[in-house]
Amino acid sequence: MKKWLTGLSIASSMLVLGACGGGDDSGEDTGNAENQQESQEQTASGSGEEGGQSAQSGGEGQQEMPEPDMEGVPDVVAEVNGEEVTKDEFQQTYESQFQQAAMQQQMSGEEVNQDELKKQVADGMVSQELLIQETENRGIEASEDEVNKTLDDIVKQNQMESQDEFFTAMEEQGMKKDDVMSQLETQVKMDQLIAEETGDIEPSDDELKEIYDQQKEQMSQMQGEEGGSEMPSFDEMKPQLKEQVVMQKESEAAQTLAEDLKEKSDVTVNL
């Protein structure tokens, strides 16, 4: 739920997760777009401390969850055209991404390189700030109707009864209603910005079929000789596949725009 507000949906998947994953644009990443989004939701749903405690309780044989190291992080992590990315803002994002990286570490056995992760998260936050500034430079506005529609979508996706229930849940996580609405407005502007960059995205059946075949092959390899549940047909999967392709192309457009903006902006990263 919180990912919609702190991550600005498109910006988060393309910048923070994209940076931490090495920015690979392979077909496999495209096919896993939904999995990335689900992983991000799980990461954002609780604090790093709570996630660490949960992971440590998984059994004696499980590797102990490491702690995020904020030692040496300056009060101002980055400056973007005069706007500061503060240590508090950085810490909130970093701890969330560190939790996800640490969970992956437990599965892979590879140690989290915190210095590298900090640089990637800082770079993602710089890119996000550049995109927010670009919405202002282009005079992009978010109408009340558009913000309310986005809010209704979030309420529905989180299977809640009403906007009031959503705001109550956010207040329990420490976010006031005014802050929530401000970030929703920013998200709507960001969505419009990326839409200007991509235009209408209409994936072809060939594109969708290629992703479907990749996922089918991956599923077959994971199940091995033992077999398992059968993958739904291409027609059944088509809406989901289309959503994955659209998300991937939006992410690529946002990443390209952020890199272009970075080249002509005054950016200082203090890590």
Side-chain angles (χ1 to χ4, degrees), residues 49-268:
E49 182 179 354
E50 290 171 346
Q53 292 172 347
S54 174
Q56 289 181 38
S57 64
E60 295 181 1
Q62 192 171 23
Q63 185 178 0
E64 183 177 348
M65 180 73 77
E67 295 291 332
D69 177 17
M70 296 300 296
E71 185 177 352
V73 175
D75 290 338
V76 177
V77 173
E79 297 172 73
V80 185
N81 295 323
E83 294 293 328
E84 294 181 347
V85 176
T86 67
K87 180 179 181 178
D88 287 344
E89 293 169 330
F90 175 83
Q91 183 168 351
Q92 181 180 9
T93 303
Y94 178 73
E95 288 182 350
S96 174
Q97 296 305 313
F98 175 82
Q99 180 186 349
Q100 180 177 341
M103 290 169 65
Q104 292 174 344
Q105 170 211 324
Q106 287 200 317
M107 293 185 288
S108 67
E110 296 180 4
E111 184 176 353
V112 178
N113 185 332
Q114 293 208 47
D115 289 338
E116 183 65 24
L117 183 60
K118 287 173 186 174
K119 292 177 182 178
Q120 291 171 343
V121 170
D123 185 64
M125 295 185 73
V126 165
S127 297
Q128 181 169 292
E129 176 60 30
L130 286 168
L131 294 178
I132 292 173
Q133 292 179 11
E134 183 65 8
T135 66
E136 297 172 358
N137 294 336
R138 296 191 189 187
I140 295 175
E141 300 290 340
S143 70
E144 185 176 343
D145 287 345
E146 290 169 325
V147 173
N148 270 318
K149 182 181 182 303
T150 300
L151 178 54
D152 287 338
D153 289 342
I154 296 171
V155 169
K156 182 178 179 181
Q157 287 162 5
N158 284 281
Q159 299 180 338
M160 293 184 170
E161 296 285 333
S162 65
Q163 292 185 6
D164 287 341
E165 183 181 354
F166 174 75
F167 287 126
T168 298
M170 295 311 296
E171 285 177 5
E172 290 173 355
Q173 295 188 41
M175 294 192 70
K176 297 179 180 179
K177 181 177 179 179
D178 288 346
D179 295 333
V180 172
M181 293 303 292
S182 176
Q183 293 201 36
L184 283 172
E185 183 177 339
T186 301
Q187 179 184 316
V188 170
K189 292 179 180 179
M190 293 276 278
D191 289 344
Q192 291 182 27
L193 174 67
I194 303 308
E196 286 185 5
E197 292 296 302
T198 62
D200 293 332
I201 301 175
E202 283 297 333
S204 68
D205 279 356
D206 287 342
E207 287 180 283
L208 301 181
K209 189 65 166 61
E210 181 178 355
I211 296 173
Y212 176 79
D213 290 341
Q214 289 173 352
Q215 294 186 2
K216 190 172 183 179
E217 176 65 23
Q218 290 169 7
M219 184 176 179
S220 176
Q221 290 176 356
M222 289 175 62
Q223 292 178 345
E225 295 180 358
E226 296 180 2
S229 59
E230 186 175 341
M231 188 166 174
S233 68
F234 172 70
D235 287 337
E236 291 174 310
M237 290 279 292
K238 197 170 181 179
Q240 178 183 331
L241 295 168
K242 182 177 180 180
E243 184 178 341
Q244 291 176 9
V245 173
V246 169
M247 183 186 299
Q248 179 71 14
K249 291 190 176 183
E250 287 174 340
S251 297
E252 291 170 355
Q255 194 164 17
T256 298
L257 176 58
E259 291 300 323
D260 290 344
L261 292 171
K262 196 175 296 184
E263 289 181 3
K264 51 189 178 185
S265 296
D266 182 12
V267 175
T268 303

